[in-house]
């Protein structure tokens, strides 16, 4: 029945069995796929289906034609899907489907909407091969091939998954156009796989195949440039440089370094080395003394040579002669936490005039010029834990070395360090494995291919593995203590190379070693825990006590001593006992001899728990114990007679005298004390009173002549004891330093004293000896003794003589006196009026000395008294001197002598003056004088002449008053 609008009512007649024989028309006819030349039609089966088998016929009609044409005239379609070819591109078509079986044909289905023949969009196929490669510590590069079948793609979506979790996470939230994508925010050290799918207007493609697993690590690149170029030493012809590691290694070990140099005034840089330098310290030879150089350094790895560092400052090539040490270098940091860090450094190359005794560490907030000392007392380690820092602030650090001369040059300031705890910071943990082995463990998830665990004790890398073993598997490293003992106590640290400073430390203390680790082993294996392993101590008579202490022993405990595999029982020679109140087992050996060498073992049993401890006294260990036992025996015998309680020692008094002291005991009236120097007996002002127990000997004005071996003896009928003290070498130096301390603290201010030679600066002190370490400075420049500047002194004064001073000698003068720990300075400003007055006085004294030197004078030849008989001839001759040649005048009784044939005066060679008296008589007796004078002055010398007659007694003449 056909109704309006194309609708139908179909009335079917049931067969005898009540079933519909002819099928109804198909429904939901539509185009599931289109292209330029074909259309794929799909439809739903008819309802009712009718009797089987069922086939379909498809009809097409071009829009507007009004006619239908059957498509499959020759072939019946049995599935609800069919492709129609040979259509005209760009024309719209209508399609309908008819179902049929052997009983008949259905009515046609509803026609489809107009379908234009053109290429259709289908779901893309999956992307092709996917590859992943390393990029940074937290990112990976993913690349893939385009889909073989896909058009009008919007882009791609990338997913990541940690290997083994099967948990996929999207890497992007909007389509990505390119076939190369960088996946960020990954976990360093984790293994990942990746997959990609394409998307177009139709929808998502299937997922690509998964990539190969890849570990997130930085890609291999050239290293960054080194930094912190520091001058460590210079001898005038070579310079030793040190530098810091590059901040980034490029994912490969640094294979070496290359250095360029540039001399000031030159235009070109020069290569220093052709082959690479393995260490971060190098001495550059063949430099010009006095010239300045700048340097730059390259680092190299497998990827090649990196960029050069910034040029260093210009460094002048001049020899280092300062007494203080040079700078420390290679400052590194580890264990950076919220308020603390550990700083490490390397010792200076230049030690100065004496060995380095310690280091000071300073820090400063970034941007501040104020330095704060970390340690008030110098540390003798090359590491220091700095605490009390403020979280979130950035600091720089420096290190200063110190020796006997003082604090040296500070190191270059470190790179800024941000004080904060890294997220996920791990610490060293301790434990005991299933076999009872004690270990320290550290885990790191941010390792690269070249990263390694570096275990240290006291922050020095462990190279001796006799007491420890290291086992590293993947990202976990363990340090096993083979047999924990006291010598294993200390700070253990571990750092992971080629990471951003990942490190940690663990302090193994006595309490921790015993109570935590050892008890874990003891509890697991039912071992009696020991507080102290088997040890020994030596008593004053040479007896040796072997002992150990357990944590706790019950009164039912059994124990025994075994020496060289033979059990030793309690006897007079071996007294064995146990104090259960303290859980101490001991054996006292009365005679410890050469035959006592071997292995000593204590075996303990307390219920089911057991333990034993052994002590090996063989070789050097036994020789040390035997020597100590014999020494104690000898000491005991020595003390039975007169003996020294304290052997000879010295100290310096406040008057700078050296006092030798010894203390004695067990003396009596008959005991004799003697002191020798180099086997020559010394006699003191007073004999020592032995009953006081103290003997002293004073050495005043101590100097080199007092060096030698001093020996003191105590003797009586019970025996003799000897004490020796060698005052030379180091001991002599220590005495001089102590004298310097007392004299330096008592030194007066510098005073000016003028002499004919120049200006003398004097410093008075309690005592001066030339071995004292004293330096003079002029305007901060050290003065060396020379013809111009002479250094000298007397017992109570040291002086600096400035000979023939000029204006260049004006300025500040300083004297510095050194003792063992500090120095004492005194200074004076020799300029302005002080210099002018001193210079005027020097000129006056110089002129006076010149006049005194060149004035007329008698320099020899004349007697004080002359006695002569009458009738003889008297000749008085003397040598005179003066410049210019002096004038000579003779006197008699203070009156100028009138010259005649009786008195004859001569002058020969300008220096020999003579007075001849011919035929002397009693009238010639009297006081004669010679006056010698020139423009600088002169002098008169008198001679008394006494004349006697023949036969008379020779008179006793008295010399005249000068």
């Amino acid at each position: 029945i056909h109704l309006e609008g194309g609708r139908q009512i179909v009335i079917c007649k049931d067969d005898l069995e009540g079933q519909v024989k002819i099928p109804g028309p198909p429904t939901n006819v539509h185009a599931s796929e289109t292209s330029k030349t074909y259309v794929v039609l799909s439809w739903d089966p008819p309802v009712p289906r009718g009797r089987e088998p069922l086939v379909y016929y498809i009809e097409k009609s071009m829009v507007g034609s009004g006619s239908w044409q059957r498509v499959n005239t020759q072939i019946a379609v049995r599935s609800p899907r069919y492709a129609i070819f040979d259509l005209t591109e760009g024309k719209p078509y209508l399609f309908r489907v008819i179902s049929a079986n052997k009983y008949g044909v259905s009515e046609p289905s509803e026609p489809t909407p107009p379908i234009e023949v053109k290429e259709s969009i289908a779901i893309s196929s999956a992307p092709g091969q996917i590859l992943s490669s390393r990029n940074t510590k937290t990112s990976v590069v993913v690349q893939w091939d385009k889909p073989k079948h896909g058009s009008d793609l919007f882009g791609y979506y990338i997913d990541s998954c940690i290997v083994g979790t099967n948990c996929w996470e999207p890497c992007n939230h909007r389509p990505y156009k390119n076939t190369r994508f960088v996946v960020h925010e990954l976990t360093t050290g984790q293994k990942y796989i990746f997959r990609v799918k394409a998307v177009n207007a139709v929808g998502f493609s299937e997922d690509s195949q998964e990539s190969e697993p890849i570990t997130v690590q930085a890609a291999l690149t050239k290293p960054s440039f080194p930094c912190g170029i520091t001058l460590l030493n210079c001898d005038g012809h070579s310079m030793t440089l040190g530098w810091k590691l590059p901040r980034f290694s490029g994912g490969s070990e640094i294979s070496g370094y290359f250095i360029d140099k540039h001399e000031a005034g030159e235009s070109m840089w020069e290569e220093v080395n052709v082959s690479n330098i393995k260490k971060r310290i190098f001495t550059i030879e063949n430099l010009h003394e006095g010239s300045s150089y700048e340097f730059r350094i390259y680092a190299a790895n497998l990827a090649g040579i990196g960029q050069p560092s910034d040029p260093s400052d210009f460094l002048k090539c001049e020899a280092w002669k300062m007494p203080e040490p040079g700078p420390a270098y290679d400052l590194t940091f580890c264990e950076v936490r919220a308020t603390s860090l550990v700083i490490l450094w390397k010792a200076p190359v230049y030690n100065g005039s004496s060995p380095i005794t310690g280091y000071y560490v300073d820090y400063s907030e970034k941007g501040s010029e104020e330095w704060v000392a970390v340690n008030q007392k110098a540390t003798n380690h090359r590491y220091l834990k700095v605490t009390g820092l403020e979280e979130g602030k950035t600091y720089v650090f420096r290190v200063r070395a110190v020796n006997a001369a003082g604090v040296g040059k500070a190191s270059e300031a470190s790179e800024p360090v941000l004080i904060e705890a890294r997220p996920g910071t791990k610490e060293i943990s301790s434990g005991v494995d299933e076999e009872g082995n004690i270990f320290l463990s550290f885990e790191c998830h941010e390792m690269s291919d070249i990263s390694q665990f570096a275990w240290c004790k006291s922050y020095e890398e462990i190279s001796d593995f006799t007491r420890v073993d290291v086992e590293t598997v993947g990202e976990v490293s363990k340090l096993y203590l083979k047999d924990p003992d006291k010598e294993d106590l200390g700070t253990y640290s571990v750092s992971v190379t080629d990471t951003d400073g990942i490190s940690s430390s663990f302090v193994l203390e006595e309490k921790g070693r015993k109570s935590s680790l050892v008890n874990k082993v003891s509890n697991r294996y039912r071992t009696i825990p020991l507080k102290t392993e088997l040890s020994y101590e030596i008593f004053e008579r040479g007896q040796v006590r072997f002992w150990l202490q357990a944590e706790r022993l019950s009164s039912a405990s059994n124990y025994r001593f075994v020496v060289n595999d033979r059990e030793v029982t309690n006897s007079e020679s071996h007294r064995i006992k146990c104090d259960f109140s303290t859980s101490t087992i001991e054996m006292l050996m009365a005679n410890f001899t050469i035959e006592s060498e071997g292995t000593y073992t204590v075996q303990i049993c307390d219920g089911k728990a057991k333990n034993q401890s052994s002590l090996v006294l063989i070789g050097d260990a036994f020789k040390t114990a035997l020597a100590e036992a014999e020494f104690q025996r000898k000491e005991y015998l020595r003390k039975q007679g007169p003996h020294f309680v304290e052997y000879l020692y010295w100290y310096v008094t406040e008057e700078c005298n050296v006092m030798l002291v010894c203390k004695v005991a067990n003396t009596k009236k008959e005991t004799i004390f003697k002191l020798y120097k180099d086997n020559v007996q010394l006699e003191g002002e007073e004999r020592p009173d032995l009953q006081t127990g103290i003997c002293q000997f004073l050495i005043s004005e101590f100097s080199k002549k007092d060096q030698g071996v001093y020996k003191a003896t105590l003797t009586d009928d019970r025996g003799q004891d000897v004490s020796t003290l060698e005052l030379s070498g180091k001991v002599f130096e220590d005495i001089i330093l102590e004298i310097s301390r007392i004299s330096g603290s008592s030194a007066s201010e510098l005073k000016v004293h003028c002499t004919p030679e120049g200006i003398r600066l004097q410093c008075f002190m309690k005592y001066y000896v030339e071995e004292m370490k004293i330096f003079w400075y002029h305007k901060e420049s050290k003065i060396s003794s020379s013809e111009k500047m002479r250094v000298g002194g007397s017992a109570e004064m040291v002086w600096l003589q400035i000979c023939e001073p000029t204006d260049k000698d004006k300025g500040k003068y300083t004297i510095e006196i050194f003792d063992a720990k500090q120095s004492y300075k005194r200074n004076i400003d020799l300029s302005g009026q002080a210099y002018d007055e001193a210079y005027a006085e020097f000129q006056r004294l110089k002129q006076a000395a010149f006049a005194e030197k060149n004035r007329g004078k008698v320099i020899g030849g004349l007697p004080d008294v002359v006695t002569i008989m009458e009738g003889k001839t008297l000749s008085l001759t003397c040598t005179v001197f003066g410049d210019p040649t002096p004038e000579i005048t003779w006197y008699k009784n203070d009156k100028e002598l009138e010259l005649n044939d009786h008195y004859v005066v001569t002058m020969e060679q300008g220096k020999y003056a003579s007075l001849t008296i011919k035929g002397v008589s009693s009238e010639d007796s009297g006081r004669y004088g010679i006056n010698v004078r020139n423009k600088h002055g002169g002098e008169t010398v008198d001679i008394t002449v006494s004349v006697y007659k023949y036969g008379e007694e020779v008179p006793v003449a008295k010399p005249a008053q000068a």
Side-chain angles (χ1 to χ4, degrees), residues 308 386 679:
V386 182
N679 296 322

Side-chain angles (χ1 to χ4, degrees), residues 438-488:
I438 299 170
F439 65 84
L440 304 178
S441 176
F442 187 71
E443 183 177 5
C444 176
H445 295 303
E446 301 181 25
M447 298 178 65
S448 66
D449 289 341
I450 63 171
S451 293
Q452 293 181 342
F453 291 91
W455 285 94
C456 302
K457 184 178 182 185
S458 299
Y459 294 97
E460 293 186 3
E461 189 164 356
I462 297 174
S463 57
D464 182 6
F465 291 92
T466 57
R467 301 194 62 80
V468 298
D469 276 330
V470 174
E471 179 183 285
T472 301
V473 178
E475 298 175 345
V476 178
S477 182
K478 293 182 179 180
L479 177 79
Y480 286 88
L481 304 178
K482 294 181 179 179
D483 185 15
D485 204 345
K486 284 187 176 180
E487 59 186 288
D488 296 310

Side-chain angles (χ1 to χ4, degrees), residues 704-716:
K704 278 186 178 180
K705 63 181 176 58
D706 297 305
Q707 293 186 98
V709 178
Y710 290 79
K711 180 176 71 174
T713 62
L714 279 175
T715 310
D716 62 20

Side-chain angles (χ1 to χ4, degrees), residues 261-270 287-294 314:
K261 68 178 180 181
H262 173 226
E263 186 173 358
E266 300 292 331
S267 59
M268 302 294 291
W269 285 85
E270 298 181 35
L287 301 179
H288 301 137
E289 187 170 7
S291 297
S292 295
Y293 296 85
E294 60 178 345
F314 276 99

Side-chain angles (χ1 to χ4, degrees), residues 578-814:
C578 176
D579 184 351
F580 292 106
S581 64
T582 60
S583 300
T584 302
I585 301 173
E586 68 173 43
M587 177 178 70
L588 187 65
M589 184 181 291
N591 298 313
F592 193 76
T593 64
I594 192 68
E595 298 177 355
S596 302
E597 184 174 11
T599 302
Y600 294 76
T601 303
V602 178
Q603 298 175 345
I604 316 171
C605 180
D606 189 357
K608 293 184 178 181
K610 298 179 180 180
N611 204 347
Q612 72 174 30
S613 180
S614 297
L615 178 64
V616 180
L617 290 181
I618 296 175
D620 292 340
F622 172 74
K623 292 177 181 178
T624 301
L626 181 62
E628 177 67 16
E630 291 179 348
F631 171 77
Q632 293 295 343
R633 275 195 291 270
K634 291 178 181 178
E635 280 291 285
Y636 174 76
L637 295 175
R638 181 179 72 89
K639 292 177 181 178
Q640 302 311 302
H643 63 274
F644 292 97
V645 177
E646 292 184 16
Y647 291 108
L648 274 175
Y649 65 93
W650 60 269
Y651 72 88
V652 179
T653 68
E654 286 301 316
E655 290 73 32
C656 291
N657 297 319
V658 177
M659 185 72 75
L660 301 183
V661 185
C662 58
K663 295 182 180 181
V664 300
N666 200 15
T667 60
K668 56 184 183 180
K669 291 183 179 181
E670 292 78 12
T671 303
I672 299 175
F673 173 84
K674 292 183 179 180
L675 183 65
Y676 301 85
K677 178 193 173 189
D678 297 331
N679 296 322
V680 177
Q681 185 174 351
L682 300 176
E683 295 293 342
E685 296 181 359
E686 298 181 1
R687 288 190 60 185
D689 184 2
L690 300 182
Q691 300 304 311
T692 63
I694 299 177
C695 300
Q696 297 179 330
F697 183 81
L698 185 69
I699 304 176
S700 58
E701 296 187 355
F702 184 83
S703 64
K704 278 186 178 180
K705 63 181 176 58
D706 297 305
Q707 293 186 98
V709 178
Y710 290 79
K711 180 176 71 174
T713 62
L714 279 175
T715 310
D716 62 20
D717 57 355
R718 296 169 295 169
Q720 183 185 51
D721 198 10
V722 178
S723 173
T724 59
L725 176 63
E726 184 175 358
L727 294 189
S728 61
K730 180 66 167 55
V731 176
F732 180 80
E733 293 175 2
D734 291 343
I735 294 174
I736 294 298
L737 289 173
E738 182 63 12
I739 292 175
S740 300
R741 182 187 68 81
I742 298 173
S743 294
S745 60
S746 69
S748 70
E749 295 297 329
L750 290 177
K751 299 180 179 180
V752 177
H753 175 73
C754 297
T755 68
E757 292 79 20
I759 300 173
R760 177 175 293 185
L761 304 180
Q762 298 176 335
C763 180
F764 294 89
M765 57 186 65
K766 288 187 176 181
Y767 180 62
Y768 168 74
V769 62
E770 64 179 2
E771 287 75 25
M772 292 169 62
K773 187 178 179 181
I774 295 178
F775 294 141
W776 287 88
Y777 301 91
H778 178 217
K779 299 178 181 178
E780 308 303 329
S781 297
K782 188 176 177 181
I783 298 174
S784 299
S785 185
S786 62
E787 290 297 324
K788 173 69 175 177
M789 298 282 190
R790 298 205 305 267
V791 177
S794 60
E796 295 180 350
M797 176 183 65
V798 61
W799 47 260
L800 171 68
Q801 179 76 46
I802 308 171
C803 298
E804 295 295 332
T806 64
D807 287 348
K808 292 183 179 180
D809 299 315
K810 293 180 180 180
K812 179 183 177 182
Y813 286 82
T814 303

